[in-house]
Amino acid sequence: MKINLTKGKKKVTYNMPDKWDELNLGRYMRIMKVLDVKEENDIDRIVKVVNCITDIPKKDIYSLDMKSLSNLGVHLSTFLTSKPNDELKHFIEIEDTVYGFHPSLKDMSLGEFVDLETYTKNINDNLHKILSILYRKVTERSGDKYQIEEYKPSEERADLFKKYLKVEDFNGASVFFYDLGKELMIHMAKSSVKRLKKENKKMKEDLNKKV
């Protein structure tokens, strides 16, 4: 959706996703870091989340008038209450290359397992690297059966995923982390998101009193 804000005498337009599924991996990781910080006041947290998903400069958000802030709060509520896709995508395509989800997690190599174990100790910082292990270029495919390229750590693939993958692409892969004793879910910050929605509601109520 388009967010039109008044900045001084000028009107500036920013893009804001309507739902979680439209958010790319890089922005998702930024939001998770914000929600993970508990020693922060309500307004600062909301401003940072809005900045993460729209790129509206934080200083500009703080200087918005009450009407613009109220409108922004409505859009944020729509985004936060949307439900992300939870179906596994076996294949994702980026820049004409097809990547397949690991066809047999129980048969993964020691190198894959060790790297996954290392990265999942800090999911918020390493989610793109985790997904670059689970999704790799498809080398052979026949019907429902397929093979992916041999595992080699790839910062390039991780950065590519961070830029182009959407929440709808990777959220469904979360259920398969139970086999590794790990969780990777869009709802890993569920309690934080719930708290943020309450804070956003409170902010709108406070703004309405002032308008």
Side-chain angles (χ1 to χ4, degrees):
M1 69 178 69
K2 299 291 185 182
I3 305 294
N4 298 308
L5 300 177
T6 301
K7 186 177 179 182
K9 295 183 179 180
K10 294 172 56 180
K11 283 192 175 182
V12 185
T13 300
Y14 294 92
N15 291 315
M16 182 174 184
D18 291 305
K19 51 190 178 181
W20 281 104
D21 279 345
E22 297 175 357
L23 201 68
N24 74 12
L25 177 56
R27 291 181 184 271
Y28 171 79
M29 291 169 64
R30 287 170 59 192
I31 289 179
M32 291 303 103
K33 288 183 181 180
V34 170
L35 296 181
D36 203 36
V37 176
K38 297 177 176 59
E39 294 77 22
E40 196 166 40
N41 67 57
D42 300 349
I43 298 298
D44 286 342
R45 186 180 293 107
I46 290 172
V47 166
K48 287 182 179 179
V49 169
V50 172
N51 169 254
C52 287
I53 62 181
T54 66
D55 278 342
I56 300 175
K58 284 182 280 189
K59 62 182 180 63
D60 288 349
I61 299 173
Y62 281 112
S63 64
L64 290 174
D65 57 54
M66 294 299 181
K67 183 178 179 181
S68 295
L69 278 173
S70 182
N71 290 335
L72 202 54
V74 172
H75 293 314
L76 183 59
S77 292
T78 299
F79 171 80
L80 291 172
T81 54
S82 67
K83 294 183 178 181
N85 169 60
D86 60 2
E87 292 185 9
L88 173 68
K89 282 194 173 185
H90 289 279
F91 304 101
I92 53 178
E93 185 173 345
I94 300 176
E95 296 185 331
D96 298 323
T97 298
V98 177
Y99 299 88
F101 184 77
H102 200 302
S104 183
L105 291 177
K106 63 183 177 62
D107 295 324
M108 68 170 52
S109 68
L110 178 61
E112 291 170 290
F113 185 83
V114 169
D115 283 351
L116 275 174
E117 187 175 43
T118 299
Y119 293 146
T120 50
K121 289 177 181 177
N122 189 343
I123 292 178
N124 287 348
D125 285 335
N126 298 315
L127 186 50
H128 58 314
K129 295 178 181 178
I130 294 170
L131 291 168
S132 75
I133 297 174
L134 292 179
Y135 282 95
R136 305 205 294 274
K137 184 178 179 180
V138 173
T139 55
E140 292 183 36
R141 183 176 178 181
S142 178
D144 294 333
K145 297 186 180 298
Y146 60 94
Q147 293 183 12
I148 57 177
E149 64 184 0
E150 183 179 343
Y151 176 60
K152 291 181 181 178
S154 173
E155 290 285 345
E156 182 180 355
R157 183 168 66 251
D159 289 340
L160 190 71
F161 285 2
K162 192 173 185 179
K163 182 177 181 180
Y164 291 107
L165 280 189
K166 296 290 193 298
V167 169
E168 65 175 350
D169 295 323
F170 66 80
N171 185 51
S174 63
V175 296
F176 290 86
F177 273 71
Y178 288 114
D179 291 335
L180 304 175
K182 303 292 180 183
E183 284 187 49
L184 167 59
M185 302 181 71
I186 187 73
H187 295 304
M188 65 183 178
K190 187 175 181 180
S191 60
S192 296
V193 171
K194 187 180 294 185
R195 184 179 70 246
L196 183 63
K197 286 192 287 187
K198 288 181 179 178
E199 292 165 357
N200 183 52
K201 182 180 179 181
K202 182 176 180 297
M203 183 186 76
K204 287 194 293 180
E205 291 174 345
D206 292 341
L207 288 173
N208 289 332
K209 292 176 182 178
K210 296 177 181 179
V211 174

